[in-house]
Structure formats: C-alpha cells, structure tokens
Amino acid sequence: MAEQVRRLWTTAGGRLTWPGASLHIAHALSAPAVALMLLLLVGPLVVVLGLSLTDYQLGADALSFIGLDNYIAMAGDRVFWKSLRNTAIYSLVVVPGSVGLGLLAALLIHGVARGQAVYRAVFFLPVMATLIAMALVWEFMLHPGFGLVNLSLRSVGLTPQNWLNDESLALWVLAVIGIWQGFGFNMVLFSAGLLGIPRPLYEAAAIDGVPAGWARFRLVTWPMLAPVTLFVVVVTSIKSFQVFDAVQVLTKGGPNKATEVLVYTLYAEGFEFFRSGYASAVTVVFLTIVMLISVMKTRWLDRRVHYT
Amino acid sequence: MSDIQIRSLSKSFGATRVLNGVSLDVHDGEFISLVGPSGCGKSTLLRILAGLEAQDEGEVRMGGERIDSLAPGARDIAMVFQSYALYPHLSVRDNIAVPLLVRRLNRWQRMPLIGGWWPGGRAIRHQIEAEVQAAARLLDISRLLDRRPGQLSGGQRQRTALGRAMVRRPQAYLMDEPLSNLDANLRVQMRSEIAALHRSRGGTFVYVTHDQTEALTMSTRLAVMMDGVLLQVASPADIYFDPVDLRVAEFVGNPRINLLACDADAHGGILHRNAALGLRLAHRGGMDRRVTVGVRSEAIRLTPRTGEGRLGTVTGHEHLGSEVLVQVTLNDGGAVVVGRRDALGGVPERGAEVSVAFEAGRVLAFGSDGRRLALARAPHG
C-alpha cells in the first residue's frame, strides 16, 4: 500500500523528500475520517463494554469494577431469559411473516396493469407513519370493550379476546403489528428486485416449456431475487430484534413479562431502575446477536446468492 | 414437416405500426434470415413466431397447423436470444437440461429431493444427462458443464444457449441476433459453426440480424424488411445482383451501391446531367421521368483517362487488404462513385483523372417509387 502510494506520488511528478513522506500525507489526509469514526462509532461501543464490567448507576458519582458479575447475574436472571426467548419468538414470527407478505404484495402489484404506484403507496403507509402514533390506533382497535376488533368478532358470533392483557396472546398480537408495520418496506425492496429481472429470462422459460406460475417462479423469480431476499431477511431480523416502541406504548413488557423483549429490558434496567452497568451488559449481548446476523450474511450467504 | 406459413401479419404498438401485412413462406429445413435496419419489424416478426408477442391480424401455420394461438412452450420451436438469457444460478448442464426436464418429468419427479426417488424419475434423468452430454460434445463445451454462466466467456455462453435450443431437437429454431454481442473474430467463427449445425442437425432456421454479411453468408434465403414490410425474399445472390427495390440494393452490399440521379428521355434513354449513359429502359413511356441508376463498386471500371466512359478525379482511397476502394468524383456534376481495385493491380493516385465505365449488364435502374425498372437488352452507343 505504502509502496503504491509512493509510486503514485513519484509518477505524478511530485518530489520525494524523505522515505515514507507520502505515507505521512496519506495518514494526515485520512485522519479526520478516522477520528470521527473512533469518536462516534467505536467510542460508544468501548464505553458500553467498559460499563458492563462495572456497577455504575445512572447519575452516581462513583463506580467500581466488578468483573463479569453483571453477566453472571444475567445468566441467573429469569427476566433476561424470558426477554431473550420472547425476542426470539417475536423475530421468528415477524421475519418470515413480513418477508413473505412483502414478497407476495410485490408479486401481486407487479402483476397488475394499472395503479401500481397507488398500491405501493398504500402498503408503504405503515412504514412512513410513526409506530408510536400507530400503536395508539392499535390500542383503540384492540380495546377489550369498545375496540373495533372485538366488536367485529362479537358481531359474527366469535368470542372477543383481551388481546393485550392476555399472557398467551399479547406477544403474538405485537408480532402481527410488527408484520403490519414492516412488510411494506420489504415490498418496496422486492418490487425493485422484480423490476431488475431481465425479461428474456421469462421468455426463455416460456419457450423452454416451463409452465407459468409456480414453476416459473421457482426457476427464474426466486433465484433472481435471492440477493434482495438475503438483504431483506437480514434487515428485517435486525429490526425485529430491536422491537421496542410498540411494547413501550401498548404493554410495557407485560402482562407478567409476557412481552418483555431485549431492548425493552435494557431500557427498563437502564432508565427505570438506573442500573446502567447491568443494562450495558444486556446491550453487549444484544449487539453480539445483531453482529452475528451481519457476519453470517457477509461470510457465508453472500457467496451463495450472487451468481457471478 | 416444419414449413412455416406466415399470412398477412400485422402488429402495432400503440400508434406505431411495426408489421404491415407481412406474408412469408419458410420452407422445411431452410435457413432464412430476416434482415433490415433496426426498427424494421424483424424482431417483432420473430417474437410472434415464437409466441412471445401476439399479432393483431394474420396467422401463422407450421406444418399446416395453426400455431399462432399456442403458448410458446407448446410450439415445437426453440429460440436463441441476443442476451443468451441463461439461468444464472444453474450450471451449464442444468441450463441445457431445462427444456428436457420440464417436458419429460412430471411434477413429482421434478421435485428437488424426492424427485430422484419417484418412480421412473431416475431413468429419465439418466437419459436426459446423456442427451445433454451429446449436445455439449457437439458444441465443444463438455468441460464447461459444471460452470455457471457467470464464469463463461461470451462465446461459451452463446454455445450454451445454442445447446439449450438444440437439445430438444425442435422443428424450428428462432434466433434473435445471436451473434451481435460477440467480438468480430468470434462472430465469424460462430457464423460458420451455426451454419454447420444447420447442415448437420437439420430443422428450419429463422435468423434475425441487422448484419448483412451474416445474412449473406449463412442463409439459403434472405427476407429483407423495411418499415414493417417485406421488400424481397430471395437467395443471397439474387438479393445482391437482382434487387427488386432501391432500398434492398442500398441495404445489401458493402461498400454501398453507387447511385446516380438520372432522367429518362421520351424514348426511355437514360441521361445523367443531360449526357446519355448508353442505357435504355425496356418499357419507355409512363409518367416517370426520374430514374436512379445503381452500380456496385466491382462493376465500375476505372481506366486511364484515354479510356471509354465518363471522366472523374480520384479523391480518396480505402484499403481493405486485398482490395482498395477508390473514391472518384465525376467531373460533370460532382457525384461520387466508389470503385474497387485489386491492391496489387496498380491503384490510381489521388488527384489522377480516370475514365469511369459501368460493366454492361451490371447496371440497375429504379423508378422514383424505388421499384426496379427493366433495362433494354441491347447496349447501344
């Protein structure tokens, strides 16, 4: 690298005053970017890592190093495991749900002759709306007494449910809201992916005798969408691991921790119980999981979905 | 039988009429090229034959049966695309096998995992593998069977696309400018290979190209199209030596045919700048007085200025290797004609005055509507 820079420097007609001069220039030029990166990205990460090894409490004047005690406490914390399990279940429902629904919507919209833009805009609405505001609307709709959902159920003779206060239902309800909120974004990405598939591939499939519909989808659409699908799955996974706002507005982790999720736990620990050290440890676990998803994408999956 | 009859096909895209009552008989086993400048409708015609586009009017028959309402897969045809249209995630082997897999295996036998265990599936797959290998050998891509299209050169992709078309042994092959994405050398090589495939495999070939050299070298017949109309359908020699329309004469031949704007006198004699050319129309009379005279470059004789014919000045050269194109500006009127000389046979210098004469029997005359006009047989003074 340094050698290349030096050669560039000389061929560009510059004077070389001392060996490695160009290297210093290169370092000097990249310094601002490196400094910003350290300050804004790496710095906070290091601070969180450091805090997770202390008993720091928000607002306290002193802190002491307690080693891995926070992590040990976490391992024995029933709420943490419950929270991790809930987040996993939530993701396992929301990722396939919103990816599948997004793909389906994109395929259907791609198939209609007119009004594609209108459909896209409608499905994209939940993405643009603030989830906090939308969560309030959901709260009205799901109200056990006068909510639209229960009124509808009652009018067709089905048993109304106490959606957000039923331990066995609340997490699923949140997952449905998560799907509703997220699939429009995936639909837009899939739509772009569909537009990028060369038409001659479909024509070749038609001439090769591949029947329209499922077989052609399997042969052309699905493999050609693979890079988009991978991206969508990764982004949706990360987003679903970060679920917080709906929980905060609708259930506050309840009833009886049934909707306690990772980010809510670290929020509650950090800003309600002021146990910043412990919250930092939860954050480290959360970041590790998110990072694993990204590493999996670049290390392994990327190679399987690009065909060149 | 795989003769194709096309009857008064018309097709419009919006307000643009792309095909205007095209009728064409493609004989069984022939190699016919559809040529014409881009936008002349040749690709649309091919896509209607393939079933990728529906005609507005007219019909298509193959072996006497109407096929124009059948799905592309139900017509016994294969198509090679300009972009090759290979499935990028499949190996060369699987790409070639697709048409066979789809047609011979049932839904269950095609399933990824259980397909191998479904009754009959394995035997059929073995048979398909053998046929894929045979096609690959023929195209000299046997050692590439496990690669993906992304790992192949343009020529190898083209061969794979040909393999996918051939493996099923369809009655007709439709080719949409299959060589235009290849570099010049490879194009020449693939040209002769496709022609050889046609000879060895049989089948009817319909080949679309805008490259007249391709069309002239490969085909048994050419169909020259312009503005959605078929101008002439004939053998390469007839198209070249005996074009029925000025546009055909202009489109085919390199360098372009030399054209002189002339007039006809009352007796049918042809005058260029009021000087007789020594040519006479076979059917004089008619209202038409404007005549275009066309002479191909090899039918132009350039001799030292003492010779017969008109005088001109050499204004340019173009070396083609074995031959030299000599550009001559005629002294009266300034029309420019291009003649051809053997590179070793002595080429007149730039600025030299030469006599320009037309070889008897090689002069073509066209009326103002572009139609060919017959010339009187007997040459005279």
Side-chain angles (χ1 to χ4, degrees):
Chain A
M1 172 66 193
E3 186 52 41
Q4 278 168 332
V5 173
R6 187 152 46 232
R7 218 174 294 139
L8 268 179
W9 185 252
T10 23
T11 49
R15 267 181 318 119
L16 218 60
T17 44
W18 75 91
S22 56
L23 201 59
H24 288 277
I25 292 166
H27 285 166
L29 288 175
S30 54
V34 171
L36 278 177
M37 202 175 78
L38 287 176
L39 190 70
L40 298 176
L41 299 175
V42 182
L45 211 66
V46 172
V47 170
V48 165
L49 260 174
L51 279 180
S52 77
L53 303 174
T54 69
D55 64 351
Y56 180 66
Q57 297 208 329
L58 195 65
D61 311 329
L63 56 86
S64 52
F65 180 78
I66 55 167
L68 292 175
D69 279 5
N70 278 329
Y71 293 93
I72 293 163
M74 206 185 338
D77 183 352
R78 211 181 53 81
V79 175
F80 168 76
W81 287 111
K82 177 99 181 160
S83 161
L84 194 62
R85 214 181 120 237
N86 283 343
T87 312
I89 292 174
Y90 178 86
S91 295
L92 285 177
V93 175
V94 168
V95 173
S98 70
V99 171
L101 212 56
L103 177 60
L104 191 69
L107 287 171
L108 290 176
I109 291 172
H110 197 66
V112 301
R114 285 151 168 265
Q116 293 199 350
V118 176
Y119 282 112
R120 284 206 190 105
V122 168
F123 285 128
F124 199 66
L125 272 179
V127 184
M128 294 188 291
T130 326
L131 190 54
I132 305 263
M134 289 296 111
L136 288 172
V137 176
W138 277 105
E139 195 169 15
F140 287 130
M141 297 228 304
L142 295 168
H143 191 278
F146 56 78
L148 189 64
V149 178
N150 274 355
L151 289 180
S152 311
L153 284 179
R154 233 177 257 133
S155 71
V156 294
L158 292 170
T159 340
Q161 303 288 338
N162 196 350
W163 297 106
L164 292 170
N165 293 314
D166 186 328
E167 236 180 278
S168 60
L169 278 179
L171 187 63
W172 302 98
V173 171
L174 286 179
V176 168
I177 295 176
I179 294 173
W180 169 84
Q181 204 259 336
F183 87 94
F185 183 69
N186 297 344
M187 177 270 300
V188 167
L189 292 175
F190 279 124
S191 288
L194 285 173
L195 288 176
I197 301 177
R199 259 188 57 149
L201 280 182
Y202 287 107
E203 297 176 345
I207 284 176
D208 287 344
V210 181
W214 175 247
R216 233 174 265 182
F217 176 81
R218 268 291 312 274
L219 181 67
V220 180
T221 314
W222 181 243
M224 295 304 287
L225 279 183
V228 178
T229 309
L230 174 63
F231 178 75
V232 166
V233 167
V234 168
V235 168
T236 313
S237 307
I238 292 175
K239 270 202 302 198
S240 67
F241 253 86
Q242 295 169 337
V243 58
F244 172 73
D245 26 18
V247 178
Q248 165 72 7
V249 175
L250 294 176
T251 64
K252 300 232 184 297
N256 191 20
K257 308 287 181 203
T259 58
E260 180 91 18
V261 289
L262 221 43
V263 180
Y264 187 80
T265 306
L266 74 85
Y267 167 80
E269 290 291 346
F271 301 100
E272 280 176 7
F273 313 139
F274 303 118
R275 297 199 292 174
S276 302
Y278 188 74
S280 299
V282 176
T283 308
V284 170
V285 170
F286 167 75
L287 286 177
T288 310
I289 293 170
V290 169
M291 216 166 68
L292 278 179
I293 299 175
S294 319
V295 168
M296 229 161 60
K297 172 192 179 287
T298 46
R299 269 298 165 80
W300 177 59
L301 289 166
D302 260 352
R303 238 173 284 160
R304 299 184 34 138
V305 299
H306 293 105
Y307 307 119
T308 42
Chain B
M1 286 296 282
S2 56
D3 53 316
I4 303 170
Q5 291 113 36
I6 299 161
R7 286 287 166 272
S8 37
L9 273 190
S10 292
K11 174 76 183 175
S12 301
F13 291 114
T16 323
R17 206 163 166 83
V18 185
L19 290 179
N20 203 347
V22 172
S23 293
L24 173 65
D25 279 320
V26 183
H27 307 148
D28 184 24
E30 97 171 313
F31 192 130
I32 193 163
S33 291
L34 305 177
V35 285
S38 51
C40 71
K42 55 191 191 299
S43 282
T44 307
L45 178 54
L46 193 79
R47 291 168 61 81
I48 291 175
L49 293 185
L52 298 174
E53 214 81 67
Q55 74 274 26
D56 298 336
E57 289 161 39
E59 56 178 61
V60 181
R61 289 170 186 276
M62 198 162 137
E65 308 265 329
R66 256 190 99 152
I67 59 165
D68 48 38
S69 55
L70 296 179
R75 309 177 180 200
D76 199 3
I77 48 130
M79 186 157 168
V80 178
F81 294 83
Q82 182 177 359
S83 60
Y84 318 133
L86 299 173
Y87 310 115
H89 59 294
L90 297 183
S91 64
V92 168
R93 168 183 283 108
D94 292 342
N95 262 290
I96 298 177
V98 164
L100 297 181
L101 289 170
V102 174
R103 284 186 165 77
R104 295 197 190 152
L105 295 177
N106 64 35
R107 176 187 303 265
W108 302 108
Q109 289 163 337
R110 276 209 303 271
M111 294 281 254
L113 286 173
I114 60 166
W117 306 99
W118 200 264
R122 193 169 286 195
I124 300 175
R125 277 177 190 274
H126 275 301
Q127 175 60 27
I128 289 175
E129 169 69 15
E131 287 175 47
V132 168
Q133 294 210 358
R137 258 197 308 281
L138 196 65
L139 291 160
D140 198 21
I141 47 173
S142 297
R143 72 206 154 75
L144 306 173
L145 281 176
D146 293 317
R147 297 218 194 146
R148 279 181 177 170
Q151 301 165 298
L152 302 179
S153 70
Q156 291 166 337
R157 284 181 210 186
Q158 186 55 70
R159 283 161 200 268
T160 307
L162 280 172
R164 186 174 63 181
M166 282 175 16
V167 73
R168 202 167 55 77
R169 294 185 169 271
Q171 301 209 26
Y173 296 84
L174 309 177
M175 306 205 174
D176 190 4
E177 312 215 8
L179 304 185
S180 52
N181 283 355
L182 301 179
D183 64 59
N185 281 334
L186 204 52
R187 209 178 304 164
V188 174
Q189 188 193 337
M190 287 304 289
R191 216 157 67 191
S192 53
E193 282 190 33
I194 290 179
L197 278 176
H198 172 244
R199 283 193 299 275
S200 66
R201 279 238 153 176
T204 306
F205 278 50
V206 184
Y207 188 102
V208 162
T209 180
H210 63 263
D211 181 340
Q212 43 157 314
T213 322
E214 259 173 42
L216 289 169
T217 50
M218 298 166 78
S219 352
T220 35
R221 287 197 302 161
L222 267 70
V224 185
M225 290 184 72
M226 226 155 279
D227 304 326
V229 179
L230 217 48
L231 294 178
Q232 187 173 8
V233 184
S235 70
D238 282 350
I239 292 280
Y240 186 78
F241 291 111
D242 205 10
V244 298
D245 193 292
L246 179 58
R247 289 172 288 175
V248 177
E250 277 187 291
F251 182 73
V252 177
N254 190 17
R256 254 164 68 120
I257 192 168
N258 295 297
L259 297 176
L260 292 176
C262 297
D263 298 297
D265 65 18
H267 309 290
I270 297 178
L271 309 168
H272 175 62
R273 298 260 152 191
N274 294 323
L277 281 181
L279 301 163
R280 186 177 292 279
L281 294 175
H283 309 287
R284 72 188 86 134
M287 312 304 283
D288 206 358
R289 286 302 179 80
R290 299 219 155 273
V291 176
T292 304
V293 165
V295 196
R296 301 231 177 252
S297 58
E298 70 274 11
I300 287 190
R301 272 208 302 271
L302 302 175
T303 47
R305 62 165 301 178
T306 48
E308 25 132 31
R310 330 181 66 73
L311 287 181
T313 310
V314 176
T315 47
H317 290 126
E318 204 177 319
H319 251 282
L320 299 180
S322 65
E323 284 178 324
V324 179
L325 299 181
V326 183
Q327 202 182 63
V328 178
T329 306
L330 296 184
N331 287 358
D332 56 338
V336 176
V337 296
V338 173
R340 232 178 240 255
R341 294 290 294 252
D342 193 311
L344 298 174
V347 178
E349 297 276 321
R350 185 192 286 256
E353 276 217 319
V354 290
S355 294
V356 180
F358 304 151
E359 221 168 86
R362 291 289 311 274
V363 182
L364 310 169
F366 302 92
S368 57
D369 58 353
R371 300 208 141 266
R372 177 83 174 276
L373 299 174
L375 289 170
R377 192 64 58 88
H380 75 118

